[in-house]
Amino acid sequence: MAGLTLYQKLDQIESRYNELTTEISSPEVHSDSARFQKLAKTHAELAAVVNKYREWKEIEKGLAGTKQLLAESDDPEMKQMAHDEQHALEERQHTVERDLKLLLLPRDPNDEKNVLLEIRAGTGGDEASLFAAELFRMYSRYAESQGWRVEVLESSASPVGGVKEITAAIQGQKVYSKLKYESGVHRVQRVPATEQQGRIHTSAATVAVLPEADEIDIRIEAKDLRVDTFCSSGPGGQSVNTTYSAVRITHIPSGLVVSQQDEKSQIKNRAKAMRVLRARLYEMEQSKQQALIAAERRGQIGTGDRSEKIRTYNFPQNRVTDHRIGLTLHQLNLVMEGKLPPLVDALVAHYEAERLKQELDDA
């Protein structure tokens, strides 16, 4: 971290933070809601870097004091105390420097985005559909604990009370930054309720977390769409089953097809379908970019490959294991209730450390 350019950059960030602190306190800004929200967001983003930088500067002052004491004191006991304090401060400074480097890394532009969460039952028949429903409940509970809003866009129930597939929009602060490593195959091992001989069955469900794209992220031309309307199927009463409220949108260039029929209004179904289509096209575009980067670099972090088994939920042993980082927790009962921070935080820390290493290797 010993570089004048970096110090200057941190000083500039701190100066900008102080300017914003004064600016957002002014009556003029408070009277302009849009401007206040924009400045407050920037202020909050800079706060983590500034607080860490100020901590680093306090450590520097402490080190200067201990070095002076070591140079001036003739008392052996005092020298030893100063030496011990210096060692402790240097260790703490090393940690703070690493944190600063992480904070200064270019952020994933999607971290602030809302997401579309797609869960599909995989191998395992009825048991897989029940597990898919439990995964959705788990993520819903976690979202609730984070103050996020969950809106089901599309769902298909299974005869045993599970779900064949479900798509939901999750909105809130930094949703993608927390959930982006959940994409992949989730495997469950347990004794199904219908199993008479107590044998453990293995089944799976796939989870996809797609950053929700804005219109400015993905521009969809009307000429590239084929929109079909049809009568909704399933329960819902006369108005659902006899009116052309269901919508199927085909994106001709990519071949992607999205259907929506949960709403009684064709307009609402079309709006939901466009949200899903936009997110899927955005993901396709990102995948192409990631493939190009991966071809040029030795490895790539956090691609969210859905073909990979990422986690196993073992109910008989109350155990959950994330295979990517080798983390095992004997707290499956809590995890299924949405207590995901031990997993989510460990994944974020692991991949951020990998990203820092890659950045330093490339530098």
Side-chain angles (χ1 to χ4, degrees):
M1 169 147 190
L4 185 61
T5 302
L6 183 55
Y7 289 141
Q8 288 176 332
K9 181 176 181 180
L10 288 166
D11 282 334
Q12 288 174 354
I13 290 173
E14 186 176 28
S15 296
R16 178 57 180 153
Y17 177 80
N18 292 334
E19 290 171 4
L20 286 171
T21 302
T22 303
E23 199 170 350
I24 60 178
S25 302
S26 67
E28 294 83 1
V29 171
H30 270 280
S31 62
D32 187 339
S33 177
R35 186 183 173 195
F36 175 80
Q37 289 179 5
K38 182 179 179 180
L39 293 177
K41 181 180 177 182
T42 304
H43 185 266
E45 290 171 351
L46 295 180
V49 177
V50 171
N51 290 335
K52 191 62 66 175
Y53 181 43
R54 287 173 177 174
E55 183 181 352
W56 185 88
K57 288 194 290 186
E58 284 299 316
I59 295 171
E60 277 285 279
K61 288 181 183 177
L63 281 171
T66 57
K67 288 175 183 177
Q68 183 178 358
L69 186 59
L70 281 168
E72 297 176 354
S73 177
D74 295 326
D75 185 342
E77 186 176 345
M78 189 66 70
K79 276 182 172 289
Q80 184 59 47
M81 289 176 61
H83 179 76
D84 291 343
E85 184 179 355
Q86 180 183 8
H87 179 70
L89 285 171
E90 285 173 346
E91 285 193 345
R92 185 174 153 214
Q93 187 181 51
H94 177 74
T95 301
V96 172
E97 285 177 353
R98 182 177 179 82
D99 292 342
L100 268 174
K101 288 175 182 177
L102 283 171
L103 288 168
L104 290 172
L105 282 178
R107 294 192 174 277
D108 186 334
N110 292 321
D111 276 353
E112 300 290 333
K113 289 184 179 293
N114 300 320
V115 307
L116 291 188
L117 174 70
E118 297 182 344
I119 302 175
R120 291 184 173 85
T123 56
D126 290 343
E127 178 64 14
S129 74
L130 291 170
F131 179 53
E134 288 175 80
L135 283 178
F136 178 67
R137 179 178 177 273
M138 176 186 79
Y139 287 121
S140 297
R141 288 289 182 90
Y142 176 62
E144 182 181 346
S145 73
Q146 300 295 306
W148 300 338
R149 177 172 172 264
V150 179
E151 176 191 2
V152 175
L153 299 181
E154 186 179 15
S155 64
S156 175
S158 72
V160 295
V163 293
K164 296 176 183 177
E165 59 183 76
I166 186 167
T167 301
I170 303 181
Q171 299 172 310
Q173 288 191 335
K174 297 182 178 294
V175 181
Y176 186 72
S177 70
K178 295 288 185 69
L179 294 182
K180 60 183 174 182
Y181 301 119
E182 294 301 303
S183 293
V185 176
H186 294 240
R187 182 177 68 172
V188 61
Q189 296 173 326
R190 64 182 173 188
V191 179
T194 56
E195 172 58 50
Q196 301 297 321
Q197 299 180 18
R199 292 175 297 185
I200 295 175
H201 286 229
T202 298
S203 54
T206 60
V207 173
V209 178
L210 315 180
E212 188 165 7
D214 299 322
E215 289 189 24
I216 57 174
D217 296 323
I218 291 292
R219 184 166 295 175
I220 301 174
E221 302 289 344
K223 63 181 177 60
D224 292 334
L225 299 178
R226 184 174 71 244
V227 181
D228 301 308
T229 58
F230 54 96
C231 293
S232 299
S233 60
Q238 184 177 355
S239 62
V240 173
N241 295 299
T242 60
T243 61
Y244 285 81
S245 58
V247 173
R248 182 187 300 110
I249 299 178
T250 303
H251 185 251
I252 299 169
S254 67
L256 280 175
V257 180
V258 178
S259 298
Q260 282 289 334
Q261 62 175 13
D262 286 4
E263 300 286 347
K264 295 179 181 180
S265 162
Q266 183 184 123
I267 294 174
K268 289 182 178 179
N269 279 327
R270 178 166 180 154
K272 281 187 174 184
M274 286 299 294
R275 287 175 71 183
V276 175
L277 176 63
R278 194 174 288 113
R280 290 181 182 168
L281 286 171
Y282 187 56
E283 187 206 24
M284 284 179 63
E285 190 60 34
Q286 280 195 308
S287 296
K288 290 178 185 176
Q289 293 174 7
Q290 288 172 348
L292 289 172
I293 294 171
E296 297 173 0
R297 295 169 69 165
R298 292 189 303 274
Q300 183 173 358
I301 306 303
T303 58
D305 184 358
R306 276 180 250 161
S307 65
E308 180 185 1
K309 177 186 69 181
I310 64 167
R311 194 175 294 156
T312 295
Y313 303 73
N314 186 296
F315 278 77
Q317 298 179 18
N318 193 37
R319 168 172 55 84
V320 57
T321 299
D322 195 287
H323 303 290
R324 296 163 295 179
I325 57 176
L327 176 64
T328 294
L329 301 173
H330 291 277
Q331 301 174 348
L332 179 56
N333 57 324
L334 298 179
V335 168
M336 297 310 294
E337 289 298 320
K339 304 293 192 299
L340 291 180
L343 282 169
V344 168
D345 294 347
L347 283 163
V348 170
H350 171 81
Y351 285 116
E352 285 297 300
E354 288 288 334
R355 193 160 66 98
L356 173 59
K357 182 179 182 298
Q358 186 68 64
E359 290 287 337
L360 292 176
D361 289 344
D362 290 346

